[in-house]
Amino acid sequence: MSAKGKHRRPKQHRIARRLAFAGTGGAALALPLIGATTAGAAVTQPAVAPATSTLTRPAVQPAVQPAAENAALPLTYSVVGGDTLSKIAADHSVSGGWQTLYADNRSAIGADPSVIRPGLTLRLGAAAKAAAARATAVTAAAVKPAATYANNLDGWIRESLDIMARHGIPGSYNGIHRNVMRESSGNPLAINNWDSNAAAGIPSKGLLQVIDPTFRAYHVPGTAMDSYDPVANITAACNYAAARYGSIDNVNGAY
């Protein structure tokens, strides 16, 4: 730091489905199809029906696949006691409702859509395939590794910029780099022991030569409480510069 009074007691600045299947057993139902507005499909079943339903793919697939590949695989559903075409269509968001579900599976169901047998395997159609693709994409995003940064000036600036973006603090790579090189030549342990701040017992420190009171006032959560820490130093200094000058990009000399 090279100017008298730099970073004097600054004013405070505010930082500021999944698919779930449950079948129920019960006596066989016979619901008329004519006149029904929903999927009125009756079920004929044995005395003891399976307790749960299963969602299967036609072949074993790798645990993780690209979304597009998953979307190409037709999902299937195994009918359980109590199921109707309308219920299955609603539960799995089949576009076109039970009519589409029946049309896609007519060869398996037969001429009467009101009778579906427990254990019958139905293809769920495009809507289910799209849902599976979305689920795969979400899973892939969830396991995406966190960003890593090099332990050098370039990495420190890039990490600071990411933190600044989350807190709405303006600034650019070039603006930060220019000021760092002027203030400390890129040395995170730089300290000014000769100016008025140093004489007052609060020497400027770190990459952007911040005095401790300024660092504490403009410290950004998520960074170290150490003014020598390069990421913490850059982020706090940029927060201060934003409050006083609008952005670190507007700083071209002692600040």
Side-chain angles (χ1 to χ4, degrees), residues 23-216:
T24 57
L29 303 178
L31 301 180
L33 178 63
I34 299 175
T37 58
T38 61
V43 177
T44 301
Q45 62 182 29
V48 179
T52 60
S53 62
T54 59
L55 182 65
T56 61
R57 292 188 184 279
V60 177
Q61 301 296 328
V64 178
Q65 300 184 69
E69 184 176 340
N70 269 302
L73 298 173
L75 284 177
T76 60
Y77 175 77
S78 183
V79 174
V80 298
D83 274 341
T84 65
L85 290 183
S86 59
K87 178 179 181 298
I88 296 169
D91 287 350
H92 304 296
S93 304
V94 176
S95 178
W98 72 267
Q99 294 92 336
T100 296
L101 184 59
Y102 174 59
D104 290 345
N105 295 276
R106 182 166 185 152
S107 61
I109 296 171
D112 189 353
S114 65
V115 178
I116 54 175
R117 305 179 308 278
L120 180 66
T121 297
L122 303 177
R123 292 180 292 108
L124 296 182
K129 290 184 286 184
R134 289 194 297 271
T136 300
V138 170
T139 300
V143 299
K144 183 179 179 180
T148 57
Y149 308 92
N151 187 29
N152 55 29
L153 182 57
D154 176 77
W156 302 330
I157 293 176
R158 293 184 187 281
E159 184 174 356
S160 295
L161 285 170
D162 284 347
I163 296 171
M164 289 162 59
R166 293 198 293 271
H167 290 273
I169 302 170
S172 70
Y173 185 101
N174 289 337
I176 294 172
H177 188 273
R178 181 184 69 249
N179 282 284
V180 164
M181 296 312 292
R182 184 191 66 251
E183 294 289 325
S184 67
S185 299
N187 177 12
L189 299 180
I191 183 170
N192 184 320
N193 286 314
W194 56 266
D195 69 357
S196 59
N197 286 321
I202 48 172
S204 302
K205 303 174 181 178
L207 290 173
L208 281 171
Q209 292 292 279
V210 182
I211 60 175
D212 285 342
T214 298
F215 177 80
R216 289 192 295 267

